[in-house]
Amino acid sequence: MRKAKDLVPREADRLGTVQGHRDGFGFVIPDDGGEDIFLSEREMSRVMHGDRVNVRVLGTDRRGRPEGQIIEVVLHANKVVIGRLLNENGVLIVAPEDKRIGHDILIPPKGQGQAKLGQVVSVEIIDYPDSYRQAVGRVVEVLGEIDDPGMEIEIAVRKYGVPHEFSAAAMKEAAALPDAVQQEDLEGRVDLRDVPLVTIDGADARDFDDAVYCEPVMYGKTKAWRLIVAIADVSHYVKPGHPLDDEGLLRATSVYFPRRVIPMLPEKISNGLCSLNPNVDRLCMVCDSVVDNNGIVLAYQFYPAVMHSAQRFTYDIVWEILSNSKGPEAARFTQFRPLLSNLYSLFKILLSAREKRGAIEFETTETQIISNELGKILRIEPRLRNDAHRLIEECMLTANVCAADFIDKNKHLSLYRVHGEPSEEKLMTLRQVLRTSGLSLDGGEKPKPRDYAKLMREIKDRPDANMLQSVVLRSMQQAMYQPDNEGHFGLAYPAYSHFTSPIRRYPDLLTHRVIKSILQKKPYTPVLPPKVPLNLTLPRKGKGRENAVNAKKSQSDAKDIAARGARAPKGANAALPIWGQLGVHCSSNERRADEASRDVEAWLKCYYMRDHLGQEYAGTVTGVANFGLFIQLENLFVEGMVHVTELGGDYFQYDEARQELRGERTGIRYRLGDRLHVLVSRVDLDARKIEFSLVKSSGAESGGSSNRRQLLLAADTGRPNKKAAPNKSRPAHKAPQKPSGINVNAAKSAGTLGATQSKSKASRKNGKASKPGRSVGKPAGTKPPVRNTKARRK
């Protein structure tokens, strides 16, 4: 067979991005949105996860998937790789923390710097791998020991490419901003400083970007409620084309980890100038609406204002006041009781309207990680929700709907938060599962949200409610940002946008700019900074993939026009491709933030469970696959897997429609919602996986008792969950150190040591080589690997 470099490019060759798999193979995600192209381990030996390549389809593999051959690596995506420094048979290597990168990085003499064996380091790649040589690199940063406080976060931000250091220009611009509202800032603003607006957030929140006020009014002859939702006016300080805006666009969202937040904007803005702290003047954008007793918005207006927060409340305190009018908190905040009562009365109206509208609600358990000073888990406990949480959510929903309606009526381009209808494939699977449970989903081929809402009411009191709810939830699509308004299926809104969190979400900042431009009767067209790379990653399937394909094409077309020196098109729809690219970028970075957060939580849970090896727990089946059962421990709220080989000597058939594994000989069935007794048998910290062994079944008791909460689909209340976090979760002396003056002249000659990679990996898997600090837990025999439970739900 000829080498790939000798192959002549064909018109059928396709450009795409490599997506690696921890088992050694991979795929190319074509830019044209076509079917993913399988890459064998041999082909993956020449590339790394994230690389841009030209690939040629040679045929199909044994599973019928198109199989390709790499023609050319167009762009190497990994300049720096994070991993652990190991000694393999006398040769120094760095084993990447990102298991999608299947290459160990060879460290040549003098390339080690000050790093010690077992430490987590960042490695700059000097030579990239091919079929005959492995990658070569040098240590450029020592992050510390794997057990250091906050190390899991340091790994995650680098592993997923989350920007975590602000540019010098952005910090300089932030430092130049005033510490308080200036007199000249008040020009053209409505003065709301005499209105007792209050903020209501979690006890651990550190920034406050929304405040509310409610009072009864007469709208003509109709009794109604005036709801004021004031949102921090970030757009007044973050201007298009400035370094702060470039940083905001690059990040697109704040990233929340246990005990730490990677903010979208510097703290001078997020926790200071734009945080609606009590008893200080703050600039804001206001949605001032009138809602009748049927929950219908009769009128609304948007305007810039200045406010003075009268009180900072927590959810728990508000709920204590509302639920016990004679309690100590009610006595303490007597002057605010009428305001809170008005808000609660309006909430009940909006909740009733929500039910009539047919919005879908899911009941599930949200957990929070309680950590010690070193960042390690003390316990995991359910996060209790009350009507104070839902009260604020309904206020934010009202403001977001008004914003979408305002933009839509003024026919201005912007980003909508879109949640599409379930796909035919997922709908068919859902109906099959419901049929086996004696249920059905109304609505025919195109069920409406109210049909789902009706189904949720029917399953609410069933013993297998948790299982059925899980199946319904998985049938839903993922919400995304896009300029085309296609409504929000889960919330049953014809138009929906994000207006309420510009401190933490770039789409909200764009919405503020659009609303201001409409008020000023000036069109707003965003400009894409050339120095800010857009994240146009293609999702696996769905409308998001189509949007990403179009965004990539429009970006390529724009570059071609610029290269030719031609004029860019003008007109009403000339800005549409730019809005499309922004939508894909913000959606992709949102997914990236979620993945990074899940990775850290998985690491913490694995570290926590190392102390529970050999212990037995009751658990509930939360997922079924052909290779085993996913189990969540009922008291610890930790999820792991029982591999199918642990279920006994029987052969188990996987029934997707019933979501069960059934033994051919014994007839034993394991379904979603079944309760089992399991033993913690293995913890793999590197792979973020926990493995259980089956002790005995507690019977198919579906559901089980748990604290529940009402979960809005796709967390689209417009108000993300705020998790308090200190700026640093590790001591100063443990901060990453960057070595200087490393001599790597021998690096390229050392690259010829390659071709040992696969052998060293095999020896490590078989326990033949020492891995300082790398092995975690007590291996329980040679079992098949446990699939990542979080990745399964992407």
Side-chain angles (χ1 to χ4, degrees):
M1 179 181 292
R2 293 182 297 173
K3 298 180 181 179
K5 64 180 182 180
D6 299 327
L7 296 174
V8 179
R10 302 175 183 169
E11 293 183 2
D13 295 346
R14 300 160 74 182
L15 185 65
T17 303
V18 175
Q19 185 176 71
H21 190 277
R22 62 178 301 107
D23 289 339
F25 59 86
F27 296 90
V28 172
I29 315 300
D31 286 355
D32 59 15
E35 189 176 358
D36 294 351
I37 301 168
F38 176 77
L39 296 178
S40 65
E41 290 189 45
R42 177 181 176 83
E43 290 299 311
M44 284 297 296
S45 68
R46 305 176 49 223
V47 294
M48 301 177 76
H49 172 76
D51 285 352
R52 301 272 294 155
V53 299
N54 271 317
V55 63
R56 178 173 301 169
V57 177
L58 301 179
T60 57
D61 68 353
R62 59 182 181 177
R63 296 177 57 179
R65 301 172 296 192
E67 185 171 1
Q69 184 177 13
I70 303 297
I71 302 301
E72 176 188 13
V73 178
V74 178
L75 177 66
H76 290 289
N78 300 279
K79 308 299 181 185
V80 176
V81 172
I82 186 170
R84 297 175 68 184
L85 184 65
L86 307 173
N87 186 326
E88 295 283 2
N89 300 321
V91 178
L92 289 181
I93 64 165
V94 167
E97 280 291 327
D98 189 345
K99 301 309 173 186
R100 296 171 298 183
I101 298 177
H103 300 266
D104 292 332
I105 315 300
L106 179 68
I107 305 300
K110 299 184 180 181
Q112 178 181 356
Q114 303 299 315
K116 300 177 182 178
L117 290 179
Q119 287 186 318
V120 181
V121 298
S122 288
V123 177
E124 179 186 18
I125 297 183
I126 300 171
D127 274 347
Y128 288 92
D130 58 28
S131 300
Y132 307 99
R133 296 186 306 170
Q134 68 187 101
V136 179
R138 67 176 183 128
V139 176
V140 294
E141 184 181 20
V142 179
L143 299 181
E145 305 295 335
I146 190 67
D147 291 340
D148 283 352
M151 177 57 67
E152 67 281 357
I153 298 177
E154 297 294 339
I155 291 173
V157 295
R158 292 164 175 81
K159 177 178 176 179
Y160 290 94
V162 175
H164 58 285
E165 294 180 349
F166 288 103
S167 67
M171 295 302 293
K172 181 180 179 180
E173 184 182 3
L177 293 173
D179 294 324
V181 172
Q182 305 297 299
Q183 185 62 35
E184 58 267 23
D185 296 332
L186 306 184
E187 183 179 351
R189 292 181 178 271
V190 176
D191 194 339
L192 296 180
R193 286 177 287 189
D194 60 336
V195 178
L197 287 149
V198 299
T199 62
I200 305 176
D201 293 275
D204 53 359
R206 298 175 63 236
D207 55 47
F208 318 113
D209 52 6
D210 51 64
V212 292
Y213 172 81
C214 182
E215 64 179 357
V217 295
M218 293 297 296
Y219 187 76
K221 296 183 179 181
T222 304
K223 291 184 179 181
W225 300 88
R226 181 190 184 192
L227 172 64
I228 297 178
V229 177
I231 306 299
D233 190 1
V234 179
S235 63
H236 180 81
Y237 301 103
V238 181
K239 303 293 186 181
H242 287 221
L244 279 175
D245 187 55
D246 290 352
E247 281 289 334
L249 174 59
L250 176 66
R251 298 171 182 230
T253 181
S254 295
V255 186
Y256 293 88
F257 299 109
R259 301 184 72 249
R260 183 178 171 187
V261 174
I262 308 294
M264 186 181 81
L265 297 168
E267 288 200 5
K268 176 71 174 288
I269 296 175
S270 60
N271 290 358
L273 195 55
C274 288
S275 181
L276 305 182
N277 301 323
N279 304 317
V280 292
D281 292 350
R282 287 291 183 257
L283 304 183
C284 58
M285 283 295 295
V286 173
C287 175
D288 196 338
S289 59
V290 177
V291 183
D292 69 10
N293 286 328
N294 293 317
I296 298 174
V297 178
L298 301 176
Y300 64 80
Q301 60 177 332
F302 288 90
Y303 51 83
V306 58
M307 62 164 284
H308 194 93
S309 174
Q311 182 63 44
R312 178 268 204 268
F313 280 112
T314 66
Y315 294 121
D316 292 340
I317 289 177
V318 169
W319 183 235
E320 285 187 38
I321 296 172
L322 293 173
S323 60
N324 185 6
S325 60
K326 297 182 180 180
E329 295 296 346
R332 179 184 169 197
F333 296 104
T334 303
Q335 70 273 32
F336 292 105
R337 282 175 55 191
L339 166 60
L340 297 178
S341 295
N342 290 337
L343 283 166
Y344 195 46
S345 297
L346 177 59
F347 157 69
K348 292 177 181 178
I349 291 172
L350 293 173
L351 184 62
S352 177
R354 173 192 182 87
E355 294 172 353
K356 293 178 182 177
R357 193 173 70 246
I360 309 171
E361 291 195 53
F362 294 93
E363 295 183 355
T364 186
T365 302
E366 182 183 357
T367 59
Q368 57 183 342
I369 293 176
I370 308 299
S371 304
N372 60 19
E373 294 181 354
L374 298 179
K376 299 305 183 285
I377 296 180
L378 292 176
R379 63 187 181 277
I380 304 170
E381 57 187 34
R383 187 185 296 272
L384 302 178
R385 281 169 54 91
N386 52 50
D387 279 356
H389 293 81
R390 305 185 68 197
L391 180 156
I392 288 298
E393 287 175 353
E394 288 297 333
C395 291
M396 298 305 110
L397 286 170
T398 301
N400 286 336
V401 170
C402 290
D405 185 72
F406 184 68
I407 294 170
D408 186 54
K409 285 184 175 178
N410 284 277
K411 303 186 184 311
H412 198 294
L413 286 174
S414 184
L415 290 183
Y416 294 93
R417 182 67 168 177
V418 172
H419 181 245
E421 300 176 352
S423 65
E424 293 183 6
E425 178 184 358
K426 289 187 176 181
L427 190 59
M428 184 182 303
T429 301
L430 172 62
R431 292 188 188 280
Q432 289 176 345
V433 176
L434 294 176
R435 194 177 299 116
T436 62
S437 301
L439 295 169
S440 63
L441 175 65
D442 296 338
E445 296 181 357
K446 295 287 184 180
K448 303 297 182 185
R450 66 179 66 256
D451 297 318
Y452 279 86
K454 177 186 175 184
L455 173 64
M456 296 306 295
R457 290 193 297 270
E458 291 177 356
I459 71 175
K460 182 176 181 180
D461 297 324
R462 289 174 56 116
D464 57 352
N466 282 358
M467 182 272 286
L468 294 171
Q469 177 182 261
S470 175
V471 174
V472 174
L473 183 59
R474 291 173 189 171
S475 72
M476 296 289 160
Q477 292 200 42
Q478 190 173 37
M480 69 193 78
Y481 298 104
Q482 64 179 49
D484 298 324
N485 176 28
E486 297 178 357
H488 197 293
F489 184 82
L491 295 174
Y493 284 132
Y496 188 72
S497 68
H498 275 172
F499 166 78
T500 52
S501 294
I503 288 177
R504 295 186 294 282
R505 289 190 307 229
Y506 197 78
D508 302 54
L509 178 58
L510 292 173
T511 299
H512 279 226
R513 289 175 178 169
V514 169
I515 290 175
K516 281 188 173 181
S517 70
I518 294 173
L519 295 175
Q520 297 168 359
K521 295 180 169 44
K522 298 177 182 179
Y524 168 66
T525 302
V527 177
L528 300 177
K531 295 182 179 180
V532 178
L534 295 183
N535 183 357
L536 304 182
T537 304
L538 270 66
R540 294 187 61 187
K541 58 180 67 175
K543 182 60 186 286
R545 190 177 179 100
E546 178 184 337
N547 289 347
V549 169
N550 293 334
K552 281 180 176 287
K553 185 177 185 307
S554 63
Q555 184 185 60
S556 178
D557 292 344
K559 289 181 179 179
D560 290 342
I561 291 174
R564 296 197 309 266
R567 289 186 176 182
K570 296 182 179 181
N573 294 323
L576 185 60
I578 297 176
W579 284 104
Q581 292 175 44
L582 286 171
V584 172
H585 172 75
C586 292
S587 300
S588 298
N589 280 8
E590 179 185 49
R591 290 194 302 271
R592 181 182 69 185
D594 290 341
E595 290 172 357
S597 296
R598 285 195 296 264
D599 186 81
V600 168
E601 290 191 9
W603 191 95
L604 288 171
K605 290 178 178 179
C606 286
Y607 194 91
Y608 174 63
M609 291 304 293
R610 294 195 311 174
D611 296 332
H612 299 266
L613 282 166
Q615 297 181 16
E616 296 182 16
Y617 296 94
T620 304
V621 178
T622 58
V624 182
N626 58 0
F627 47 82
L629 305 171
F630 295 95
I631 311 290
Q632 184 180 74
L633 304 184
E634 293 177 355
N635 295 323
L636 297 183
F637 301 99
V638 169
E639 193 174 55
M641 198 187 101
V642 175
H643 196 271
V644 67
T645 56
E646 290 287 342
L647 299 180
D650 203 350
Y651 180 82
F652 285 84
Q653 291 276 6
Y654 172 55
D655 189 329
E656 183 179 8
R658 292 181 171 85
Q659 286 293 292
E660 69 177 22
L661 287 174
R662 182 196 297 267
E664 280 190 352
R665 179 174 53 82
T666 61
I668 294 176
R669 298 189 304 168
Y670 296 99
R671 301 187 65 195
L672 281 175
D674 284 355
R675 294 184 71 249
L676 306 174
H677 274 229
V678 296
L679 177 144
V680 182
S681 60
R682 184 171 181 266
V683 175
D684 188 342
L685 194 60
D686 286 339
R688 318 291 199 261
K689 293 173 181 177
I690 301 167
E691 191 168 318
F692 301 139
S693 297
L694 186 63
V695 177
K696 64 177 179 178
S697 173
S698 296
E701 297 177 19
S702 298
S705 61
S706 64
N707 292 302
R708 294 181 173 182
R709 71 175 179 91
Q710 297 291 332
L711 175 68
L712 288 168
L713 187 74
D716 274 340
T717 64
R719 182 184 171 91
N721 183 26
K722 299 178 182 178
K723 302 176 183 177
N727 292 337
K728 298 179 181 178
S729 57
R730 62 196 320 200
H733 70 278
K734 289 289 189 177
Q737 301 294 322
K738 296 184 178 181
S740 58
I742 296 177
N743 184 357
V744 290
N745 292 332
K748 292 186 179 294
S749 61
T752 57
L753 293 176
T756 63
Q757 174 178 298
S758 59
K759 293 182 179 180
S760 66
K761 281 189 173 184
S763 65
R764 285 209 308 275
K765 288 183 178 179
N766 293 327
K768 295 180 180 179
S770 65
K771 302 184 295 180
R774 195 178 186 201
S775 60
V776 179
K778 301 176 182 178
T782 55
K783 300 176 184 174
V786 184
R787 180 162 299 190
N788 189 318
T789 61
K790 298 298 182 184
R792 173 178 58 85
R793 297 186 175 183
K794 288 180 186 177

